[in-house]
Amino acid sequence: MWYPILELLPRGNWDYLIAAPPCGDFSRAKWANKSGPRPRRSRQYPRGFPWLRGKSKDATVNSNIMVDRAVAAIKQGMQSQAKTRWLLEHPEDLGDTANGGEPASIWQFEEIEE
């Protein structure tokens, strides 16, 4: 399903592209305390901690895939004859937490900065 959409974007069939990859894996709430789900990524490891295994690793990889697809779609749309306008929706990077945590954000990804 993904590749046909990616192939259609450069043709300029759409006026707007809204990309909203899931943000739960990037939630600052995971850094709030030790009672809830643990963070799976940080500023140092924005694509996920290298020691993740099992379901935690799978969820982080899947989140990364969705971010990568959003970036690919935006790039394809920008290359279209119509220069498709785009919007990337994701929580802002608020920096470190009060307790010293360093949450990751897609705004730290090199591809996003480009």
Side-chain angles (χ1 to χ4, degrees):
M1 180 71 180
W2 167 245
Y3 293 104
I5 293 170
L6 197 58
E7 289 175 9
L8 288 173
L9 280 165
R11 297 182 190 169
N13 295 337
W14 294 282
D15 293 325
Y16 297 94
L17 167 67
I18 299 173
C23 58
D25 200 43
F26 293 88
S27 175
R28 292 174 60 82
K30 293 181 180 188
W31 290 89
N33 58 52
K34 296 182 183 197
S35 300
R38 303 297 307 140
R40 295 191 290 240
R41 52 180 86 228
S42 68
R43 181 175 296 279
Q44 184 178 2
Y45 299 104
R47 289 201 162 265
F49 295 132
W51 53 84
L52 292 175
R53 300 287 178 261
K55 290 181 182 180
S56 291
K57 182 174 183 171
D58 293 344
T60 300
V61 167
N62 287 335
S63 291
N64 291 340
I65 288 169
M66 297 305 290
V67 171
D68 293 341
R69 286 181 175 179
V71 170
I74 289 168
K75 286 181 178 179
Q76 287 287 67
M78 289 171 53
Q79 293 171 2
S80 74
Q81 294 174 352
K83 301 284 187 225
T84 304
R85 290 175 221 76
W86 55 273
L87 169 78
L88 176 60
E89 186 281 324
H90 215 266
E92 66 182 309
D93 180 359
L94 296 173
D96 296 351
T97 63
N99 63 1
E102 298 177 335
S105 168
I106 68 167
W107 304 110
Q108 298 162 2
F109 284 28
E110 287 181 36
E111 305 90 316
I112 302 291
E113 287 184 21
E114 288 176 11

